[in-house]
Amino acid sequence: MNVKNKGFATRQIHAGKTENSAGALCAPIYQTSTFAFSSVEQGGARFAGAEQGYIYSRLGNPTTNLAEAKLAVLEGGEDALAAASGMGAISTALWSSVAAGDEIIADETLYGCTYSLLEHGLSRFGVRTVFTDLSDIENLKKALSEKTRVVYFETPCNPTMKVLDIALIAKTAHDFHPGIRVMVDNTFCTPYLQQPLALGADTVVHSATKYLNGHGDVIAGVIVGDKEFINRCRTFGLKDLTGAVLSPFDAFLLARGLKTLDIRMERHCANARKLAEFFEAHPAVSKVCYPGLASFEGHEIAARQMRLPGGMISLELNADRAATAAALNKLELCTVAVSLGDAETLVEHPATMTHSTYSAGELKAAGISEGLVRISVGLEDPEDIIADFKAVLDPLA
Ligand SMILES: *Cc1c(COP(=O)(O)O)cnc(C)c1O
């Protein structure tokens, strides 16, 4: 059955299903490295691309294909490629897009390891990245050049929640040159909240470790886009350049998590809104960054391009770094941990954790203050999450 035109919930459950010999409702885990050919000639035909079929799990595996098919359909892309981590997906997609002498334009606020890949990794191989604030479109116009191959950004940005206008950035880049690849890290939103391809982006990358899997038990990534690019990533980028292949077992867990994506996102967003409103009214909190608050700068663009404002909140306390850390250490229900998108509410301090690859000056430029706290709002009862924060914030007020 073709589920492409069905609703989101139907697609997340049924997309990618194939028959299996036992009639199992849930797809089997094809825990195998290689696949048997009926003859030398058949093996030859598969390598030559003359016959469809599996060869070796670094080149493709039925369980991995299930997760890929779901994500392609959910993001509205022609095809998708799973990777062993978000960084595996991002590095595969970028390595497959550039060569020495090329340039990438990236927003200056990025996931810490993506920043490091661009600034300290690709730069060693003759690929220069121009970091700029893409919330001012004039900055993009100034940075575009003959050498630009990729425009790369997240929205909302990690960890400041800065919201970028996907349609405007994509149009501006494509007006300059239609061949520029506009690549969006959609980890914070998932396709349930935001679909960058429909807004004009060419490629979507994800850390599937986060909301897509949703249960905190897998490291995974995915690239979604047009057939030609995904094929290049599959047959060259992932196969030869990075080798960052997702294991069949993790692909199974990812496909399993995807079946409940929409209802999890609804709850994450509902809980986050309640918590953001609590923080906004609390005297110990000096600033709340949440796209769902009318007071937040990116509120208007977020309302236009996101179905709901997401499950991530950043805030600053009326306290120095030490007092902020002491308050977080006293939380009982919420866990001090990096990562996001899990059932558990997770709290982290970007300047000392996820963004420790940034220097003090770079932190400042990216708007990441010493006191910034990032919260991934979980699926617990919202009253209990609020009570946990209230107990540690009240003494600071
Ligand atoms: C976690 C994360 C990544 C990296 O993903 P891994 O699965 O940890 O490799 C990239 N981008 C964003 C926005 C993330 O939150």
Side-chain angles (χ1 to χ4, degrees), residues 85-87 90 111 154 158 185 187-188 207 209-210 219-220 340:
S85 66
M87 287 313 299
I90 293 165
Y111 178 72
E154 307 164 4
N158 187 3
D185 181 335
T187 301
F188 270 36
S207 170
T209 309
K210 316 293 169 55
I219 299 278
L340 56 107

Side-chain angles (χ1 to χ4, degrees), residues 125-370:
F125 302 91
V127 177
R128 192 171 87 98
T129 300
V130 181
F131 295 95
T132 188
D133 178 5
L134 292 176
S135 65
D136 180 348
I137 204 67
E138 295 306 316
N139 289 337
L140 175 60
K141 288 182 185 162
K142 262 180 255 161
L144 284 162
S145 86
E146 297 280 279
K147 294 181 180 170
T148 308
R149 294 292 172 272
V150 177
V151 174
Y152 185 98
F153 60 98
E154 307 164 4
T155 177
C157 298
N158 187 3
T160 58
M161 306 306 295
K162 177 173 77 171
V163 176
L164 299 176
D165 189 330
I166 299 172
L168 180 64
I169 293 170
K171 184 177 184 311
T172 305
H174 291 148
D175 281 352
F176 185 84
H177 196 292
I180 292 174
R181 183 166 298 283
V182 176
M183 202 180 284
V184 179
D185 181 335
N186 203 26
T187 301
F188 270 36
C189 287
T190 82
Y192 184 65
L193 299 188
Q194 172 176 283
Q195 300 186 339
L197 300 178
L199 295 167
D202 302 292
T203 307
V204 167
V205 290
H206 273 283
S207 170
T209 309
K210 316 293 169 55
Y211 291 109
L212 293 180
N213 174 62
H215 294 74
D217 47 15
V218 163
I219 299 278
V222 69
I223 312 167
V224 188
D226 61 274
K227 263 200 154 41
E228 191 277 326
F229 182 66
I230 296 299
N231 193 47
R232 195 190 326 156
C233 289
R234 187 188 298 279
T235 59
F236 180 55
L238 193 75
K239 175 171 127 343
D240 303 330
L241 297 181
T242 65
V245 178
L246 186 63
S247 81
F249 184 67
D250 286 347
F252 167 82
L253 288 175
L254 172 56
R256 180 185 197 266
L258 285 171
K259 286 189 184 181
T260 55
L261 179 62
D262 67 332
I263 51 177
R264 287 188 286 106
M265 293 313 291
E266 288 281 348
R267 179 67 173 264
H268 281 296
C269 294
N271 282 1
R273 183 182 291 284
K274 286 185 185 148
L275 194 61
E277 284 166 1
F278 160 77
F279 287 137
E280 198 172 41
H282 200 286
V285 179
S286 58
K287 186 176 173 192
V288 186
C289 306
Y290 182 63
L293 294 176
S295 61
F296 184 64
E297 224 189 303
H299 175 69
E300 209 175 288
I301 301 170
R304 203 176 339 122
Q305 70 187 14
M306 295 167 70
R307 186 200 298 252
L308 292 166
M312 299 297 296
I313 302 173
S314 288
L315 52 85
E316 283 177 41
L317 302 180
N318 289 317
D320 62 15
R321 189 169 178 153
T324 300
L328 300 186
N329 289 342
K330 285 199 207 97
L331 288 166
E332 288 182 351
L333 177 70
C334 304
T335 307
V336 177
V338 296
S339 199
L340 56 107
D342 296 340
E344 294 83 355
T345 295
L346 305 178
V347 184
E348 71 120 352
H349 186 249
T352 48
M353 298 174 191
T354 47
H355 290 69
S356 53
T357 57
Y358 282 58
S359 70
E362 291 162 350
L363 283 173
K364 197 156 184 272
I368 304 167
S369 77
E370 294 255 303

